[in-house]
Amino acid sequence: MFAIETATPTPGKMEARKEVRMHRADEERIKAAAAATGLQEADFIRQAALLRAQEVEQRISLSVLPIAAFEAFRAAVKAPGKVVPGLARAAEASKGLLKDAD
């Protein structure tokens, strides 16, 4: 057996169904890989899709900046704030109009 990376599937009854069309060669390749890992084809495909979804989720939640841009960002965050008169007036005028969600 091969050691493979796994993604934890959502617990509970599986109710959603997906149908996948593919070339025979791809089907054979997936069938062989599933057999080599000891998984049923459906489990292998589901696991691969979940791992890819996890990769995408991680990628979209990560911001990567060049070092110089990050240092400029850090300096801007650490710098004391400045009062912007028009923005301060708008904030004061909108007091009480918006409420935080409970």
Side-chain angles (χ1 to χ4, degrees):
M1 297 282 176
F2 293 96
I4 60 169
E5 202 175 332
T6 60
T8 306
T10 304
K13 184 178 179 184
M14 290 190 277
E15 298 167 334
R17 187 172 184 84
K18 295 291 177 196
E19 195 171 314
V20 179
R21 294 181 57 85
M22 64 181 74
H23 293 283
R24 282 235 190 270
D26 294 340
E27 179 188 27
E28 293 304 318
R29 190 173 180 190
I30 290 168
K31 190 180 287 189
T37 57
L39 294 171
Q40 297 291 320
E41 285 178 66
D43 293 331
F44 183 86
I45 292 167
R46 186 171 37 260
Q47 188 70 244
L50 286 170
L51 285 170
R52 182 68 176 125
Q54 186 176 315
E55 262 180 43
V56 170
E57 290 167 347
Q58 288 173 345
R59 194 169 288 149
I60 62 176
S61 68
L62 179 68
S63 296
V64 178
L65 292 174
I67 292 172
F70 176 74
E71 293 302 334
F73 173 76
R74 185 190 315 195
V77 169
K78 288 183 176 182
K82 295 178 185 173
V83 174
V84 178
L87 187 57
R89 280 191 301 276
E92 188 62 36
S94 68
K95 266 189 184 169
L97 295 177
L98 302 174
K99 282 177 48 175
D100 287 338
D102 292 327

